[in-house]
Amino acid sequence: MGGSVFGKNIKVMTFGESHGAAVGAVVDGIPSGLSLCRDDIQEMLDRRRPGKNDFSTKRNETDEVEILSGVFEGKTLGTPIAMMVKNNDAHSSDYDALKDIYRPGHADFTFDAKYAFRDHRGGGRSSGRETIGRVMAGAVCKKVLKEAGIKVSAYTRAIGPITAIETDLSEALSDPLFMPDHVVSERAAEYILKVKERGDSVGGIVECRIDGLFPGIGETVFDKLDAVLSKAVMSIGAVKGFEMGEGFNSVNLHGSEDNDPFFAGENQRIEKKTNHSGGTLGGMSDGAPLIFRAAIKPTPSISIQQETVNKNGENTVISIKGRHDPVIVPRAVVVVESMAAITVLDLLISDMSSRIDHILAFSEKRKNELQTDS
Amino acid sequence: MGGSVFGKNIKVMTFGESHGAAVGAVVDGIPSGLSLCRDDIQEMLDRRRPGKNDFSTKRNETDEVEILSGVFEGKTLGTPIAMMVKNNDAHSSDYDALKDIYRPGHADFTFDAKYAFRDHRGGGRSSGRETIGRVMAGAVCKKVLKEAGIKVSAYTRAIGPITAIETDLSEALSDPLFMPDHVVSERAAEYILKVKERGDSVGGIVECRIDGLFPGIGETVFDKLDAVLSKAVMSIGAVKGFEMGEGFNSVNLHGSEDNDPFFAGENQRIEKKTNHSGGTLGGMSDGAPLIFRAAIKPTPSISIQQETVNKNGENTVISIKGRHDPVIVPRAVVVVESMAAITVLDLLISDMSSRIDHILAFSEKRKNELQTDS
Amino acid sequence: MGGSVFGKNIKVMTFGESHGAAVGAVVDGIPSGLSLCRDDIQEMLDRRRPGKNDFSTKRNETDEVEILSGVFEGKTLGTPIAMMVKNNDAHSSDYDALKDIYRPGHADFTFDAKYAFRDHRGGGRSSGRETIGRVMAGAVCKKVLKEAGIKVSAYTRAIGPITAIETDLSEALSDPLFMPDHVVSERAAEYILKVKERGDSVGGIVECRIDGLFPGIGETVFDKLDAVLSKAVMSIGAVKGFEMGEGFNSVNLHGSEDNDPFFAGENQRIEKKTNHSGGTLGGMSDGAPLIFRAAIKPTPSISIQQETVNKNGENTVISIKGRHDPVIVPRAVVVVESMAAITVLDLLISDMSSRIDHILAFSEKRKNELQTDS
Amino acid sequence: MGGSVFGKNIKVMTFGESHGAAVGAVVDGIPSGLSLCRDDIQEMLDRRRPGKNDFSTKRNETDEVEILSGVFEGKTLGTPIAMMVKNNDAHSSDYDALKDIYRPGHADFTFDAKYAFRDHRGGGRSSGRETIGRVMAGAVCKKVLKEAGIKVSAYTRAIGPITAIETDLSEALSDPLFMPDHVVSERAAEYILKVKERGDSVGGIVECRIDGLFPGIGETVFDKLDAVLSKAVMSIGAVKGFEMGEGFNSVNLHGSEDNDPFFAGENQRIEKKTNHSGGTLGGMSDGAPLIFRAAIKPTPSISIQQETVNKNGENTVISIKGRHDPVIVPRAVVVVESMAAITVLDLLISDMSSRIDHILAFSEKRKNELQTDS
């Protein structure tokens, strides 16, 4: 049944193969009246573009967004917003040699196993270019959240074993690896270059923090905020793990250490003294910042020779030449941020009908609204 | 919009509060013709029941399943299967003292924040009893998978810092902690008792292995097998992390270490020499066993005194008395297994329409079917 | 993939075969804080019960609802509301003769064609008892709508060719045929009895009117209010047609006749002079009462002898004896009303996020909410 | 929550305003391996294009489809198929006069009521151009169905009171009004021209017939074939009614007339002597041709002067000049056909998992499949 649709209240459908005509996204359910322009999208897209430093490849992907629908006179219409980026740097013939060979760590084999047919050029649908649709949709959702005072910030927590100690969100934005700690980032950069020289690759951790959430966002049981976020993030290629707050470390804590004590803050607002939970309790936001991490595996494309098979089931070897990042972690940062923004907006909207009082207040307001004022 | 429905082809809706009349599940989309009896469900339910050893509480929850619909003469009808367990050991008054106090690490506060009203008795909808519905639905899906030669096995990998070294699936079933390593299990049991004595609690890791999957299960982009599994598992209360294969450890590997080399196996079947990926590539099963892990936080209910607030935003302290497990990891095992079974069946069905040839073969078969043979 | 789930924001899952243990419904997405008691449900259920007059059969279906979850201290919790009616008047052996014979106009043949197996007793899942789940769910949704000032009223517009001329909604409630015109109802009653005497049956038209809708309910393109209502109503067994406002009659009108002129009403509120549209424009409520009709076919169970086949594809004849209504129109009235209520509530909730201003106002309110006041 | 997504197994998302950059559709869930080229889509699009005769307007809408993704080397990939038609004949300034006036019978008022903002040019999202996305998606689904031997044919049954008597499907394709009866079509054409001269408009009936369906397509209870078709068709702008088989006429029939007797046909295949049901029983296809009808209201755009209001709630009059069809029925034919094709394919896929035997046969086949053969 496909798998390119995400969300319940906000529905994001992405499309596009790496070397096809275009990649894009259509987003349904965005409210009307939001100020939105091309730059809001382009700015996010630019953050995922490769070729800006030594750690990523020299591809000249300009990735210019075109908004095809849903925006009129600088504002959203409440109708689907279709966005597209044409593919224009396609060296398709580069991939001829890979047509019948299954690259280890890639989806070549499983695509053939499922569909008995695939677009082998640049990874086709499983290419990193698939994330362009996610980022465009995420940019729109981020804009809505921003209006509501909610800020989503992802950054690189670790490159291989090298972990950022500081968490300076403004440093992260200007850092070449999107690390919130310039000092550690320099060491990480050196590490990447050393790995790259041997034709190998490295993984890392993307962390995301969401500020400004009121308590209660997330649905009970299956659509918990953590659960939907987890799906959103694990659906990004190369992500192999997800954790909230203490995450896997909570295994080694005792209840007396892991539980966050409540206290009465300003205006008797209920707050927590610590945030081991990462900002959710029972699958709902608890008022503390949301903190989660994604584990990104090392880039599977390496020039070191690897054993593999071809389509005919014959053993062979492969050495992947050409333009490949030794690390994709920095490029994944904006993708994680995008998926988080879509998820949070989707669940915030779900929350709007959680109490009868919310529904009655809305109905009342709409009934009293003179159409002449609208 | 609620959050108690899971799945696309198979739709599971669970219901029930801890101290309400009943907890249950309705499962729509189960095919007709499956042999199914009460015992198939009860057997799975019995694996989650507490009170069987020193590590869990003495509650006498008999949890007898009643099948209300969807089964006739021992076979499924293709219609919704409704299953229910009556709540009959409800010491509701035990919870009177907790009515207005928010237990740290629990969902009391967030439920009130979202709904402005909650059933405080036994945790209400956020109680562990909520998982009874998941297990009943999982039991049905497991039965379908079993017929298709797919086996789902969850077990306790770690209790706090104590990790099982062996992975003997048959040992796991008879082990009091569901550990696949009796020797380590004994040490873990001692550890739990020591923690329990101090009124504290401990977490752990549940691991799950799925054998018999053909390659290609999972949808591209958002509904990757890893992503949907992740949501399924992260939606279980107390789960704080999810990882596939090497998971968070892949961060520290290089591509040359993490990539699984392919080779031509028996009958030129394509296989992998290692399974760092945990059985998926590009979000689809790759033919190797599926391996994933869930991090379970320490039980939040502890008798050690904790700081907290009441509903009125006044600071207070709480010491949770009564029947509480010092560790919930063993009870989560069958729940993880259940959620995995539902997910895999759901995505296996999605795969049935992935190629035009599958659809044409089905149509042809149905057209040629003499109704007199049906 | 089953087919027993309805709705997007409100999710209704029904279950149950006619002669199984129980029929029921679970409703997810109902807001917290709604006053709800057993009687709210029972009252609607009683309106669909047969055996109250000469036009329906003498079955003693008491149909007592049990609420299993989602309600605490007389108010909804925001969690799934599970409701069940036990089947207790099952003369299953009455149906032995029908086990292998396909009744014309019934779903016996198609159930076997699809599932290769069915519960033949009382029609199994395709029995009229299936609608009990719809009515219970509809009763809950009607209660929410009532709080919001929205009233859903269905009634019998026609029995065969005999059409009610008056539309007195209060008469409809007390009329034995639920006709809003006692005078015509008496003629219809005579007509039914005459048809019944010959062992034949008759159809009719159910009309539904919804008052109190503010303009704008319904989504553009595929989820138009008319479209979702149409699915809701056409999904009721025996409904063969659906129309809004002028409906099929609009075919014969000219634009100048069918268009409803707007005018400035009280307080410059925009109103329509006529309501040929039936209360929607472009798939959204237009502020006028919603009016739609459902065509109900004659009851297929008749005692007149009919030609048919058995499971083995052998020609035979059948004469259906026993308890069967010569007309099901009056019993369908409350079912239509229920499906309309579910649909309208679902789309009203969708509307809550249609403008950025709605979302921002909600966020603002939630952020300012002191948890101590909730 | 938007409303531009249709389908469960096949997901169609359409986008685009009449005078925006483009209109289009993305279709997810189409199986891989289907031969598909631009002409397959263009041919269907050409059938909805206006300006080909006296009954429709002279707009020069070339409507050239561009396939953006999902097709490689002439075959579908199993990934989303994005299709787009650029808007290039936009006389946007023609609509300046209508910016603040609500046209009777149109969605101008309800769009403003819902979104407080709209694209007034050419009807924006509620324009007839919205159906381009439906037709492109329908073209793809029709191609799949054709491979499976299923044929979907819509045609004009009536223009106003003038009803086609013959049903010659090949005549319908070449008829200027898509009527399956050239003789009646000529009378209908004269009628339309007469109405057009007075500046008025007329409605009609589109009928659709589907051949080649095996019995059992359609899900029980809410997702009956009739119900989903009804939603699909009622979601088309200007459709005010839907009926299956005898439809509203069944109201006046007796059970003995309306029931279709079964008989044993060739090879003891079970068939029906008549087809009053229109090809469904209990919401599932019964093996007879599927027959349904849609009532289309008269075009609301008329040059006759009408009373109305402006945005400020002031009374005014309007006379709609310019390019408007006096009848939209012929243009709706291919749209109805498209929506029917999407629906039938979606439910055919649902049927693939209706029996355990189907699932086991599929699993067995996939397991035995040597990847080297795929």
Side-chain angles (χ1 to χ4, degrees):
Chain A
M1 59 157 56
S4 291
V5 183
F6 186 84
K8 296 196 171 179
N9 299 293
I10 303 294
K11 284 203 175 62
V12 174
M13 192 187 276
T14 69
F15 63 85
E17 282 71 49
S18 182
H19 290 234
V23 291
V26 193
V27 190
D28 196 20
I30 295 296
S32 68
L34 175 75
S35 292
L36 189 76
C37 65
R38 227 191 124 276
D39 283 355
D40 292 319
I41 319 294
Q42 192 64 47
E43 192 181 299
M44 285 277 282
L45 270 188
D46 290 348
R47 284 174 59 198
R48 74 162 286 290
R49 203 167 57 197
K52 294 191 300 193
N53 54 50
D54 286 345
F55 324 118
S56 60
T57 60
K58 299 301 180 196
R59 279 169 279 179
N60 184 19
E61 297 181 0
T62 46
D63 291 348
E64 302 274 346
V65 64
E66 292 176 56
I67 299 179
L68 300 173
S69 68
V71 180
F72 177 55
E73 297 180 344
K75 286 197 295 182
T76 56
L77 284 162
T79 61
I81 301 172
M83 294 164 288
M84 174 176 82
V85 165
K86 283 196 187 122
N87 293 322
N88 49 19
D89 183 31
H91 292 230
S92 301
S93 55
D94 287 8
Y95 293 88
D96 285 357
L98 295 174
K99 198 176 169 184
D100 297 327
I101 294 184
Y102 295 141
R103 293 170 298 167
H106 276 282
D108 303 340
F109 165 63
T110 47
F111 259 82
D112 261 3
K114 185 177 195 77
Y115 297 115
F117 178 58
R118 76 191 155 98
D119 182 351
H120 66 280
R121 303 166 307 164
R125 183 72 178 137
S126 68
S127 158
R129 285 188 72 73
E130 170 263 307
T131 61
I132 288 176
R134 300 175 187 246
V135 172
M136 296 193 293
V140 177
C141 295
K142 260 193 83 168
K143 193 87 196 281
V144 178
L145 291 178
K146 194 183 165 189
E147 301 265 321
I150 297 166
K151 197 175 165 218
V152 185
S153 313
Y155 41 86
T156 300
R157 172 56 69 196
I159 295 289
I162 299 166
T163 303
I165 295 156
E166 304 297 323
T167 309
D168 183 323
L169 296 185
S170 59
E171 278 197 24
L173 278 175
S174 64
D175 186 81
L177 294 172
F178 300 120
M179 259 197 174
D181 183 334
H182 281 339
V183 177
V184 173
S185 176
E186 282 179 32
R187 282 201 294 125
E190 284 166 35
Y191 177 73
I192 294 170
L193 290 178
K194 222 180 301 174
V195 170
K196 186 186 178 186
E197 267 165 43
R198 331 192 271 271
D200 215 339
S201 64
V202 64
I205 290 177
V206 173
E207 190 169 274
C208 185
R209 175 188 170 104
I210 307 179
D211 289 283
L213 294 177
F214 51 82
I217 295 178
E219 299 297 313
T220 50
V221 186
F222 299 120
D223 293 339
K224 290 186 164 87
L225 177 50
D226 341 35
V228 185
L229 270 176
S230 174
K231 185 190 174 203
V233 170
M234 288 291 301
S235 76
I236 303 170
V239 176
K240 298 301 287 183
F242 175 89
E243 59 178 13
M244 292 291 304
E246 291 287 346
F248 276 86
N249 190 45
S250 69
V251 167
N252 298 317
L253 298 179
H254 294 300
S256 58
E257 298 164 312
D258 189 55
N259 286 347
D260 299 314
F262 290 110
F263 72 99
E266 218 179 323
N267 296 323
Q268 283 180 293
R269 187 179 293 266
I270 292 167
E271 299 182 35
K272 302 189 321 178
K273 290 195 172 175
T274 52
N275 190 18
H276 299 290
S277 79
T280 62
L281 281 171
M284 294 173 266
S285 56
D286 64 15
L290 213 78
I291 306 279
F292 66 85
R293 277 171 298 281
I296 316 268
K297 73 174 185 178
T299 320
S301 293
I302 54 175
S303 61
I304 292 175
Q305 181 174 296
Q306 302 175 82
E307 294 175 64
T308 190
V309 293
N310 63 21
K311 265 184 85 162
N312 304 317
E314 295 158 342
N315 291 320
T316 182
V317 292
I318 189 170
S319 167
I320 299 170
K321 305 299 184 191
R323 312 168 303 176
H324 295 290
D325 299 343
V327 65
I328 54 172
V329 178
R331 301 189 64 184
V333 165
V334 72
V335 184
V336 168
E337 197 172 293
S338 297
M339 293 308 300
I342 299 168
T343 301
V344 167
L345 178 57
D346 201 37
L347 288 172
L348 188 159
I349 292 174
S350 281
D351 189 50
M352 294 178 76
S353 56
S354 55
R355 301 184 200 164
I356 185 81
D357 289 348
H358 299 331
I359 294 179
L360 299 185
F362 171 76
S363 291
E364 197 59 28
K365 185 185 149 220
R366 294 282 278 119
K367 285 197 176 178
N368 290 333
E369 194 177 63
L370 283 177
Q371 296 313 323
T372 52
D373 292 336
S374 67
Chain B
M1 60 157 54
S4 291
V5 182
F6 185 84
K8 296 194 171 181
N9 299 292
I10 302 295
K11 284 202 175 62
V12 174
M13 191 186 276
T14 67
F15 62 86
E17 282 72 49
S18 182
H19 290 233
V23 291
V26 193
V27 189
D28 196 21
I30 295 297
S32 68
L34 175 75
S35 292
L36 189 76
C37 65
R38 227 190 124 278
D39 283 354
D40 293 318
I41 319 294
Q42 192 64 47
E43 192 181 300
M44 285 278 280
L45 270 189
D46 289 348
R47 285 174 58 199
R48 75 163 285 291
R49 204 168 56 196
K52 294 191 302 192
N53 53 53
D54 285 346
F55 323 117
S56 59
T57 58
K58 299 301 181 200
R59 280 169 280 180
N60 184 20
E61 297 181 1
T62 46
D63 291 348
E64 302 273 347
V65 62
E66 292 177 55
I67 299 179
L68 300 173
S69 68
V71 179
F72 177 55
E73 298 180 344
K75 285 196 296 181
T76 56
L77 284 162
T79 60
I81 301 171
M83 295 164 289
M84 175 177 82
V85 165
K86 284 195 187 121
N87 292 323
N88 48 20
D89 182 33
H91 293 229
S92 300
S93 55
D94 286 8
Y95 293 89
D96 285 357
L98 296 174
K99 198 175 170 186
D100 296 326
I101 294 185
Y102 295 141
R103 293 169 298 167
H106 276 282
D108 303 341
F109 164 63
T110 49
F111 259 82
D112 261 2
K114 186 179 195 75
Y115 297 115
F117 179 58
R118 76 193 154 98
D119 181 352
H120 65 280
R121 303 166 305 164
R125 183 71 179 138
S126 68
S127 157
R129 285 189 71 74
E130 170 264 306
T131 62
I132 288 177
R134 300 176 187 245
V135 171
M136 295 193 294
V140 177
C141 294
K142 260 193 84 169
K143 191 91 195 277
V144 178
L145 292 177
K146 193 183 168 191
E147 300 265 321
I150 296 167
K151 197 177 166 213
V152 185
S153 312
Y155 41 86
T156 300
R157 173 55 71 195
I159 295 289
I162 299 165
T163 303
I165 294 156
E166 304 297 323
T167 309
D168 183 324
L169 297 185
S170 59
E171 277 197 23
L173 279 174
S174 65
D175 187 81
L177 294 171
F178 300 119
M179 259 198 172
D181 183 333
H182 281 339
V183 177
V184 174
S185 176
E186 283 180 29
R187 281 202 294 126
E190 285 166 33
Y191 177 72
I192 294 170
L193 292 178
K194 222 180 303 173
V195 170
K196 187 186 177 185
E197 269 166 41
R198 333 193 269 272
D200 215 338
S201 64
V202 63
I205 289 177
V206 173
E207 188 169 274
C208 185
R209 175 191 170 105
I210 307 180
D211 289 283
L213 292 179
F214 51 82
I217 295 177
E219 299 298 313
T220 50
V221 186
F222 298 119
D223 292 340
K224 289 185 165 86
L225 177 50
D226 339 37
V228 185
L229 270 176
S230 174
K231 185 190 173 205
V233 171
M234 288 292 300
S235 76
I236 304 169
V239 176
K240 298 302 287 183
F242 175 89
E243 60 179 13
M244 292 290 304
E246 291 287 346
F248 276 86
N249 189 45
S250 70
V251 167
N252 298 317
L253 299 178
H254 294 301
S256 59
E257 298 164 314
D258 189 56
N259 286 347
D260 299 313
F262 290 110
F263 72 99
E266 218 179 323
N267 296 322
Q268 283 179 294
R269 187 179 291 265
I270 292 166
E271 299 181 34
K272 301 189 322 179
K273 290 194 173 176
T274 52
N275 190 19
H276 299 290
S277 78
T280 62
L281 282 169
M284 294 173 266
S285 57
D286 64 14
L290 212 78
I291 305 281
F292 67 84
R293 276 172 298 280
I296 317 267
K297 74 174 185 178
T299 320
S301 292
I302 54 175
S303 61
I304 292 176
Q305 182 174 296
Q306 302 175 80
E307 294 174 63
T308 190
V309 293
N310 63 20
K311 264 184 86 163
N312 304 317
E314 296 158 341
N315 290 321
T316 182
V317 292
I318 189 170
S319 167
I320 300 171
K321 306 297 185 194
R323 310 168 305 174
H324 295 289
D325 300 344
V327 65
I328 54 172
V329 178
R331 300 188 64 186
V333 164
V334 72
V335 184
V336 168
E337 197 172 293
S338 297
M339 292 308 298
I342 299 168
T343 301
V344 167
L345 178 58
D346 201 37
L347 288 172
L348 187 158
I349 291 173
S350 280
D351 190 50
M352 293 178 76
S353 57
S354 55
R355 303 183 198 166
I356 184 82
D357 289 348
H358 299 332
I359 295 179
L360 299 185
F362 172 75
S363 292
E364 196 60 27
K365 185 184 149 220
R366 294 282 277 118
K367 284 198 177 178
N368 289 333
E369 197 176 61
L370 284 177
Q371 297 312 324
T372 52
D373 293 335
S374 67
Chain C
M1 60 156 58
S4 291
V5 183
F6 186 84
K8 296 194 173 182
N9 299 293
I10 302 295
K11 284 203 174 62
V12 174
M13 191 186 275
T14 68
F15 63 86
E17 282 72 49
S18 182
H19 290 233
V23 291
V26 192
V27 189
D28 195 21
I30 295 296
S32 68
L34 175 75
S35 292
L36 189 76
C37 65
R38 226 190 124 277
D39 283 355
D40 292 319
I41 319 294
Q42 193 63 47
E43 192 182 298
M44 284 278 281
L45 270 189
D46 289 348
R47 284 174 60 199
R48 73 163 286 291
R49 203 167 57 196
K52 294 191 300 192
N53 54 52
D54 285 346
F55 324 117
S56 61
T57 58
K58 300 299 183 201
R59 278 169 281 179
N60 184 19
E61 297 182 1
T62 46
D63 291 348
E64 301 273 348
V65 63
E66 293 176 55
I67 299 179
L68 301 174
S69 68
V71 180
F72 177 56
E73 298 180 344
K75 286 198 294 181
T76 56
L77 284 162
T79 61
I81 302 172
M83 295 164 287
M84 175 177 82
V85 164
K86 286 199 185 117
N87 292 321
N88 48 18
D89 183 32
H91 293 228
S92 300
S93 55
D94 287 7
Y95 293 89
D96 285 356
L98 296 173
K99 198 177 170 184
D100 296 327
I101 294 184
Y102 294 143
R103 292 169 298 166
H106 276 282
D108 303 340
F109 165 61
T110 48
F111 258 83
D112 260 3
K114 186 178 195 76
Y115 296 114
F117 178 58
R118 76 191 154 98
D119 181 352
H120 65 281
R121 303 166 306 164
R125 183 73 179 137
S126 68
S127 156
R129 284 188 71 74
E130 170 263 306
T131 62
I132 287 176
R134 300 176 186 247
V135 172
M136 295 192 295
V140 177
C141 294
K142 262 193 81 167
K143 192 90 195 278
V144 179
L145 292 177
K146 193 183 168 191
E147 301 266 319
I150 297 167
K151 195 175 167 216
V152 185
S153 312
Y155 40 87
T156 300
R157 172 57 69 196
I159 295 289
I162 298 165
T163 302
I165 294 156
E166 304 297 325
T167 309
D168 184 323
L169 296 185
S170 59
E171 278 198 20
L173 277 175
S174 65
D175 186 81
L177 295 172
F178 299 119
M179 259 196 173
D181 182 333
H182 281 341
V183 178
V184 173
S185 176
E186 282 179 29
R187 282 203 294 125
E190 286 167 32
Y191 177 74
I192 294 170
L193 292 178
K194 221 182 302 173
V195 170
K196 186 186 178 186
E197 269 166 38
R198 320 194 281 270
D200 215 339
S201 64
V202 65
I205 289 177
V206 173
E207 190 170 274
C208 184
R209 175 190 171 105
I210 307 179
D211 289 283
L213 293 179
F214 51 82
I217 295 177
E219 299 298 312
T220 50
V221 186
F222 298 119
D223 293 339
K224 289 185 164 86
L225 178 49
D226 340 37
V228 185
L229 269 177
S230 173
K231 185 191 173 202
V233 170
M234 288 292 299
S235 77
I236 304 169
V239 175
K240 299 300 287 182
F242 175 88
E243 60 179 14
M244 291 291 305
E246 291 288 347
F248 276 86
N249 190 45
S250 70
V251 168
N252 299 317
L253 299 178
H254 295 300
S256 59
E257 299 164 313
D258 189 55
N259 286 347
D260 299 314
F262 290 109
F263 72 99
E266 217 180 325
N267 296 321
Q268 283 180 294
R269 187 180 291 267
I270 293 166
E271 299 183 31
K272 302 188 322 177
K273 291 195 171 174
T274 52
N275 190 18
H276 299 291
S277 79
T280 64
L281 282 170
M284 292 172 267
S285 57
D286 64 15
L290 211 78
I291 305 280
F292 67 84
R293 277 172 298 281
I296 316 268
K297 72 174 187 178
T299 320
S301 293
I302 54 176
S303 62
I304 293 176
Q305 182 175 295
Q306 301 175 81
E307 295 174 64
T308 191
V309 292
N310 63 20
K311 264 185 86 162
N312 304 317
E314 296 159 340
N315 290 321
T316 182
V317 291
I318 189 171
S319 168
I320 300 170
K321 305 298 185 196
R323 312 168 303 176
H324 295 289
D325 299 343
V327 65
I328 55 172
V329 178
R331 300 189 64 186
V333 164
V334 72
V335 184
V336 168
E337 197 172 293
S338 296
M339 293 307 299
I342 299 168
T343 300
V344 166
L345 178 58
D346 201 38
L347 288 171
L348 188 159
I349 291 173
S350 281
D351 190 48
M352 293 178 77
S353 57
S354 56
R355 303 182 198 166
I356 184 82
D357 289 348
H358 299 331
I359 295 179
L360 298 184
F362 172 76
S363 292
E364 197 59 29
K365 186 185 149 221
R366 294 282 277 118
K367 284 197 177 179
N368 290 332
E369 197 177 62
L370 284 177
Q371 296 313 322
T372 51
D373 293 334
S374 67
Chain D
M1 60 156 57
S4 291
V5 182
F6 185 84
K8 296 195 171 179
N9 299 292
I10 302 293
K11 284 204 174 61
V12 174
M13 191 187 277
T14 69
F15 62 85
E17 283 71 49
S18 181
H19 290 234
V23 291
V26 193
V27 190
D28 195 21
I30 294 296
S32 67
L34 175 75
S35 292
L36 188 76
C37 65
R38 225 189 124 277
D39 283 357
D40 292 320
I41 318 294
Q42 193 63 48
E43 192 181 300
M44 285 277 282
L45 270 189
D46 290 348
R47 285 173 60 198
R48 75 163 285 290
R49 204 167 56 197
K52 294 192 302 192
N53 54 52
D54 285 346
F55 324 117
S56 61
T57 59
K58 300 300 182 199
R59 278 169 281 179
N60 185 19
E61 296 181 1
T62 46
D63 291 348
E64 301 273 347
V65 63
E66 291 176 55
I67 299 179
L68 300 174
S69 69
V71 180
F72 177 56
E73 298 181 344
K75 286 197 295 182
T76 55
L77 284 162
T79 61
I81 301 172
M83 295 164 289
M84 174 178 82
V85 165
K86 286 198 185 117
N87 293 321
N88 48 19
D89 182 32
H91 293 228
S92 301
S93 56
D94 287 10
Y95 294 88
D96 284 356
L98 296 174
K99 198 176 169 183
D100 296 328
I101 294 185
Y102 295 142
R103 294 169 298 167
H106 276 282
D108 303 341
F109 165 62
T110 48
F111 259 82
D112 261 3
K114 185 179 194 76
Y115 297 114
F117 179 57
R118 77 192 154 98
D119 182 352
H120 65 281
R121 303 166 305 164
R125 182 74 179 135
S126 68
S127 157
R129 284 189 71 74
E130 170 263 306
T131 62
I132 288 176
R134 300 176 187 246
V135 171
M136 295 192 295
V140 176
C141 294
K142 260 192 84 168
K143 192 88 196 280
V144 179
L145 292 178
K146 194 183 165 190
E147 301 264 321
I150 297 167
K151 198 176 165 214
V152 184
S153 312
Y155 41 86
T156 300
R157 172 56 70 196
I159 296 288
I162 299 166
T163 302
I165 294 155
E166 304 296 325
T167 309
D168 184 323
L169 295 185
S170 59
E171 276 196 24
L173 277 174
S174 65
D175 186 80
L177 294 171
F178 300 119
M179 258 195 173
D181 182 333
H182 280 340
V183 177
V184 173
S185 176
E186 281 181 31
R187 283 202 293 124
E190 284 168 33
Y191 177 73
I192 294 170
L193 291 179
K194 223 181 301 173
V195 170
K196 186 188 179 184
E197 268 167 40
R198 315 197 285 269
D200 215 339
S201 65
V202 64
I205 289 176
V206 173
E207 189 169 276
C208 184
R209 175 189 170 105
I210 307 180
D211 289 283
L213 293 179
F214 50 82
I217 295 177
E219 299 298 312
T220 49
V221 186
F222 299 120
D223 292 340
K224 290 186 164 86
L225 178 49
D226 339 37
V228 185
L229 269 176
S230 174
K231 185 190 173 205
V233 170
M234 288 293 298
S235 76
I236 304 169
V239 176
K240 299 300 288 183
F242 175 88
E243 60 178 14
M244 291 292 304
E246 291 288 346
F248 276 86
N249 190 44
S250 69
V251 168
N252 298 315
L253 299 178
H254 295 301
S256 58
E257 298 164 314
D258 189 56
N259 286 346
D260 299 313
F262 290 109
F263 72 99
E266 217 180 324
N267 296 322
Q268 282 179 295
R269 187 179 291 266
I270 292 166
E271 298 181 33
K272 302 189 320 179
K273 291 194 172 175
T274 53
N275 189 18
H276 299 290
S277 78
T280 62
L281 282 170
M284 293 173 266
S285 57
D286 64 15
L290 212 78
I291 305 280
F292 67 84
R293 277 172 298 280
I296 317 269
K297 74 174 185 178
T299 321
S301 292
I302 54 176
S303 61
I304 292 175
Q305 182 176 295
Q306 302 174 81
E307 294 174 64
T308 189
V309 293
N310 62 21
K311 264 184 85 162
N312 304 318
E314 296 157 342
N315 290 321
T316 182
V317 293
I318 189 170
S319 167
I320 298 171
K321 305 297 184 195
R323 311 168 305 176
H324 294 289
D325 300 344
V327 65
I328 53 171
V329 178
R331 299 188 65 183
V333 164
V334 72
V335 184
V336 168
E337 198 172 293
S338 297
M339 293 307 298
I342 299 167
T343 301
V344 167
L345 178 57
D346 201 38
L347 288 172
L348 188 158
I349 292 173
S350 281
D351 189 49
M352 293 178 76
S353 56
S354 55
R355 302 183 199 165
I356 184 82
D357 289 348
H358 299 332
I359 294 179
L360 298 185
F362 171 76
S363 292
E364 196 59 27
K365 185 184 149 220
R366 294 282 278 118
K367 285 199 175 176
N368 291 332
E369 197 177 63
L370 284 177
Q371 296 312 324
T372 51
D373 293 335
S374 68

